Amino acid sequence: FSVSLVVSFVVTGEPLVSIVAASGHTAGAVAGAVLIERFARGRDVFRSVHTTLRAVLFIVVSGCVPAAAYAVMGSGRTGMGSGWPGVTGVWLGHVIGALVVAPWVMMICTRTPERQLPRNWRATLESAALQTCLWVIALGVFAGYFPSPVKTYPLEFLCLPFLLWAAFRFGPREVALAVGVLSGIAVWGTVRGYGPFAGHAPVEAVWLLQAYLTVMSITGIAFSTAVDERRRAEARLQEL
């Protein structure tokens, strides 16, 4: 609540609007957490594809709370645009923030021995290679580090294989970290005018980027959860 309140006040300069906006964001986060705890196994949400997809649905629904708070405040008072475009922007921002940041934090806090993959020099080298390749591709696609005078080629699909690599060879935690790295580079590059979404108007570019990151996050986490679930099932069969 405090962080949202400060950011809203810096953007709007209106105390009442800032309090309503911060309350909306906080209520949305609490609503999503309560729904996941009640209907998606809480801390064990990423242990099956079924609960993972259910959590995604709850996050999408909970994003309507801050969007509704924005609509109540009226158009043009929060610096996010006016009318439905502004409401959509608030909703997308809440959803992509929850899908990019929350999974990695939850997986770090709920790490169990079952999820700890064997670490040796081969796995360490593969992990380093994955991170290096993802950084290189993301910088080339979204940050203008591409050997061409055109810096807005639609090459965003090149990042998907590396998320699938992390999903099949590592696990949900590594995929969430990869999505976080990709999101940071993509946002930084798009704001500077590079990448496949930079050719549009600033507001449209942000929407397209948020939609892209949402799809990448859902795809990567769902695949990694399915692989992790299958790996645990095979381990139980071997024990039997």
Side-chain angles (χ1 to χ4, degrees), residues 106-126:
M106 286 185 64
M107 290 172 194
I108 290 294
C109 296
T110 61
R111 188 178 182 183
T112 62
E114 262 184 63
R115 283 186 182 158
Q116 292 179 5
L117 301 176
R119 292 297 179 185
N120 51 43
W121 66 272
R122 292 174 186 249
T124 302
L125 286 178
E126 184 177 0

Side-chain angles (χ1 to χ4, degrees), residues 5 13-14 18 21 25 56 123 135 153 198 213 219 224:
L5 179 64
E14 299 185 29
S18 302
H25 283 285
V56 171
W135 274 85
Y153 281 128
L213 294 176
T219 302
S224 62

Side-chain angles (χ1 to χ4, degrees), residues 77-107:
R77 299 184 65 188
T78 61
M80 295 291 294
S82 60
W84 282 109
V87 174
T88 303
V90 172
W91 176 75
L92 275 175
H94 181 89
V95 171
I96 188 59
L99 289 176
V100 170
V101 179
W104 188 68
V105 174
M106 286 185 64
M107 290 172 194

